[in-house]
Amino acid sequence: MPTLTLLPSGKTIDAAAGATILQAVLAAGEAIPQKCDGKAECGSCHVFVHDGRKTLSKIQRLENEKLDTLVGVSSKSRLACQAVLGDEPVTVELLSFV
Ligand code: FES
């Protein structure tokens, strides 16, 4: 079972392997923007992955296309609704801008 550490709070939650970051955050009762309900259409679930990037699913076309439209994207950017957790710990920074 991977752990997911949320920044800036530093809270660590247990997550199910195979869940998206978005699903894990919501299951833990934490808030995260998700205006399109996880369809990679809104970009509101944009996060920075600080650790564990290689354990996540690879970026697919839909996610890549949406990331290309967002402001403030970096090499650490992922859409929480598209990034599927593997077996290793992951640290993500929850962002408040879209
Ligand atoms: S919830 Fe809309 S892109 Fe992730």
Side-chain angles (χ1 to χ4, degrees):
M1 176 178 285
T3 58
L4 184 59
T5 300
L6 308 176
L7 300 177
S9 72
K11 181 175 181 176
T12 297
I13 59 178
D14 291 325
T20 64
I21 292 172
L22 179 66
Q23 290 169 331
V25 170
L26 293 175
E30 298 294 316
I32 182 170
Q34 45 153 337
K35 294 178 181 171
C36 73
D37 293 326
K39 297 176 186 154
E41 295 174 351
C42 69
S44 64
C45 67
H46 178 202
V47 296
F48 289 149
V49 179
H50 290 280
D51 293 305
R53 187 170 179 83
K54 289 183 177 172
T55 195
L56 298 174
S57 60
K58 295 196 181 315
I59 296 178
Q60 301 296 313
R61 181 182 56 83
L62 214 58
E63 181 179 5
N64 204 35
E65 288 176 358
K66 176 46 66 181
L67 286 171
D68 281 347
T69 69
L70 301 180
V71 174
V73 171
S74 82
S75 60
K76 295 181 176 182
S77 292
R78 290 297 306 260
L79 295 180
C81 68
Q82 302 299 306
V84 176
L85 295 162
D87 294 327
E88 303 296 322
V90 174
T91 300
V92 298
E93 180 179 355
L94 304 179
L95 306 173
S96 57
F97 59 85
V98 177

